[in-house]
Amino acid sequence: MTTPSPDPNRRRAFRPRWQRQGHHPDYRFSLANERTFLAWIRTALAFMAGAVGIYQFAPDVATPWAREAVAVLLSLAGALLSLAAYRRWASNERAMRSDAALPYTRLLLILALFVTLVALVLGLLLVWG
């Protein structure tokens, strides 16, 4: 008895419904989108590493509650940024599959303002901490 040959159109890995729609984008654009996603993930990891560094290795920077507040803020920002990175990657993929314009995100401005705020707070803690 022979086993039936697998359906060539069926993939084993889970793929969201939106990924099965439209046409496959040019691999160069898809890989560029993935590199951008990974850059966002690296930034999220840097936020979390900064949170651990401030909390564990800078006991003289400020009062314990101020250090903990900055560490929690950085950790939460890292978690939110990693979720936003996936959402942005998926929306870009959807747009490329349907030949639509890439969506605009305010996340870039929010991220820049957040980094500025954290830098100012850390500067104040170092000066007056």
Side-chain angles (χ1 to χ4, degrees):
M1 181 172 177
T2 62
T3 59
S5 61
D7 181 6
N9 295 325
R10 185 168 181 227
R11 299 253 170 115
R12 289 184 186 196
F14 170 76
R15 290 176 54 195
R17 184 171 37 124
W18 62 262
Q19 209 171 29
R20 295 185 301 260
Q21 297 172 346
H23 60 78
H24 293 287
D26 186 336
Y27 289 110
R28 293 173 294 175
F29 301 124
S30 189
L31 291 172
N33 190 29
E34 187 174 328
R35 285 190 301 272
T36 303
F37 166 76
L38 292 173
W40 287 84
I41 292 296
R42 282 191 304 270
T43 304
L45 287 171
F47 282 170
M48 290 184 273
V52 170
I54 288 171
Y55 184 74
Q56 288 292 323
F57 304 117
D60 298 329
V61 168
T63 61
W65 69 266
R67 275 194 331 273
E68 289 175 7
V70 171
V72 167
L73 185 67
L74 284 171
S75 183
L76 288 174
L80 291 174
L81 187 59
S82 65
L83 292 173
Y86 176 79
R87 190 170 168 204
R88 180 173 164 83
W89 170 83
S91 63
N92 285 344
E93 281 289 317
R94 262 188 234 108
M96 286 189 295
R97 287 177 173 278
S98 62
D99 289 330
L102 293 179
Y104 172 77
T105 179
R106 289 193 174 107
L107 192 57
L108 297 172
L109 176 62
I110 293 168
L111 184 60
L113 293 174
F114 176 76
V115 170
T116 303
L117 175 70
V118 169
L120 291 173
V121 168
L122 286 175
L124 291 175
L125 288 177
L126 289 172
V127 170
W128 289 303

